[in-house]
Amino acid sequence: MTSEFIDSLHDVFSTLQPVTTRRMFGGTGLFHSGLMFAIVIDDLLYLKADKETSQQFINEGCEPFTYSRQGKQVALQYYSAPDCIYDDPDDAALWAQLAFSCALRSRRS
């Protein structure tokens, strides 16, 4: 089952094709070359971040993905996507590559 929003992300991330999706964690993971670089929860897109890139997300006003576990808030290394990616293919390509680079670094470590 996919949503129109998830379907639209194939266009947003057209420079990173192929992008595949898989249901997981109560949401949908977005993958390129077998690596998850984004997740959609409740039709909100979160991009993978790490120590090298999280400040860029913070500077754009992006929020980390959090969930409650045993009464405590847990933050994952995924940040809400900046709004600019939906309107500007160049921005979408930049942020997609940034998130995919994080996925590559995570795999290597």
Side-chain angles (χ1 to χ4, degrees):
M1 178 171 129
T2 63
S3 70
E4 286 182 36
F5 177 69
I6 291 169
D7 291 341
S8 75
L9 295 176
H10 290 281
D11 291 331
V12 170
F13 296 124
S14 62
T15 61
L16 200 61
Q17 293 299 330
V19 170
T20 58
T21 59
R22 185 174 25 179
R23 297 273 305 153
M24 55 192 329
F25 309 127
T28 302
L30 279 72
F31 294 81
H32 175 67
S33 297
L35 298 175
M36 190 166 83
F37 70 95
I39 190 166
V40 175
I41 305 288
D42 296 327
D43 279 346
L44 294 173
L45 175 65
Y46 296 89
L47 299 174
K48 187 157 184 66
D50 61 14
K51 290 187 290 188
E52 292 181 35
T53 62
S54 61
Q55 190 60 49
Q56 289 174 266
F57 286 93
I58 293 166
N59 292 346
E60 288 291 320
C62 303
E63 298 287 329
F65 172 72
T66 61
Y67 68 97
S68 181
R69 182 171 67 184
Q70 298 177 347
K72 295 182 181 181
Q73 284 299 104
V74 177
L76 296 182
Q77 286 295 320
Y78 287 84
Y79 280 79
S80 57
D83 291 335
C84 63
I85 71 163
Y86 303 108
D87 300 321
D88 186 326
D90 292 332
D91 282 340
L94 174 81
W95 287 94
Q97 190 55 51
L98 191 72
F100 184 66
S101 294
C102 291
L104 284 172
R105 283 192 295 276
S106 178
R107 179 179 71 180
R108 290 182 192 132
S109 60

